Amino acid sequence: LLWQPTARHSLQAVFTYLTAEYRDYQTVDAQYYIATDPRSPLVNLRGNKLPFAPAYTGMLIYEHFFTVPNGGRLIPRLHTKYQSEMFLTDFNRASDRQEAYSRTDLCLRYEAPKNWVVQAFVQNIEAEAVKNNVDLRGSQPGAGGNAGFPGVARGFFDAPRTYGLRAVIRFD
C-alpha cells in the first residue's frame, strides 16, 4: 500500500500472513543418519513449518520531503519492520529458530540541485541479533562422527547496529 497525501509525504505499508507447513515429508536426518547402516531411520516432518516462512510480516516506510532555499531537498526516512518467528531448516529445532523481532532504520538524505547526494544513516537501531541462516557442523554420524551426538549448530547473523555517511556523485 502506498499513500501520498501530499507531494511531500509518502507512507508505504506492507502486511503479509502465511501459513505453511509440511503435510507429509519423509526425509533423512543428517544428525542421526549413517550411510552404512540400513536401519538409519527416516523422519517424517509432518506438521513442521517450512523454513524462512514467518507467519506475519509487517513493514512501514515514511518519508517527508523538505525543499531548502538552494533548490535541494532534505528527506528524513523511517523504515521499520516486524517479523514473527520462523525456522531456518526443515527440522524446526531450537537451534534453527529465529524469534520474532523488529528492526528500525533511520536516515536523513540531502539531494543537491546538481549531481550529488549525502546521507546519514542508522540501521538496526534496536541492535537486534537476527539469525538469517544456520547449518550443522561437527560430529555427524554420516561424516564419521558419533551416532546420537547432534554436532554444533553454526548461525549466521544480520549486521548489528550500523551507522555512517554515504555520498553519491552522479555523472550525466
Side-chain angles (χ1 to χ4, degrees), residues 125-165:
I125 290 172
E126 296 90 340
E128 185 80 30
V130 177
K131 207 179 327 179
N132 62 40
N133 206 347
V134 68
D135 69 358
L136 190 63
R137 299 288 174 175
S139 190
Q140 297 175 357
N146 302 314
F149 178 73
V152 176
R154 181 172 66 169
F156 301 88
F157 292 83
D158 289 345
R161 179 185 303 132
T162 55
Y163 52 91
L165 294 172

Side-chain angles (χ1 to χ4, degrees), residues 30-44:
Q31 284 188 356
Y32 304 104
Y33 177 72
I34 301 173
T36 58
D37 183 355
R39 295 173 296 151
S40 284
L42 287 177
V43 177
N44 193 332

Side-chain angles (χ1 to χ4, degrees), residues 58-62 78-82 102-105 126:
M59 183 171 51
L60 287 174
I61 301 171
Y62 176 73
L78 167 71
H79 178 181
T80 189
K81 173 186 174 181
Y82 169 81
S102 64
R103 175 188 163 145
T104 305
D105 301 337
E126 296 90 340

Side-chain angles (χ1 to χ4, degrees), residues 15-86:
F15 176 78
T16 61
Y17 170 72
L18 174 67
T19 179
E21 64 181 41
Y22 291 110
R23 290 184 184 165
D24 187 28
Y25 179 26
Q26 297 277 335
T27 190
V28 173
D29 186 342
Q31 284 188 356
Y32 304 104
Y33 177 72
I34 301 173
T36 58
D37 183 355
R39 295 173 296 151
S40 284
L42 287 177
V43 177
N44 193 332
L45 300 182
R46 178 184 300 116
N48 279 16
K49 295 179 182 179
L50 271 63
F52 303 101
Y56 302 98
T57 303
M59 183 171 51
L60 287 174
I61 301 171
Y62 176 73
E63 289 185 336
H64 182 84
F65 304 92
F66 296 95
T67 302
V68 294
N70 70 352
R73 296 191 318 168
L74 194 59
I75 307 166
R77 176 183 171 106
L78 167 71
H79 178 181
T80 189
K81 173 186 174 181
Y82 169 81
Q83 180 179 298
S84 63
E85 79 166 3
M86 71 174 180

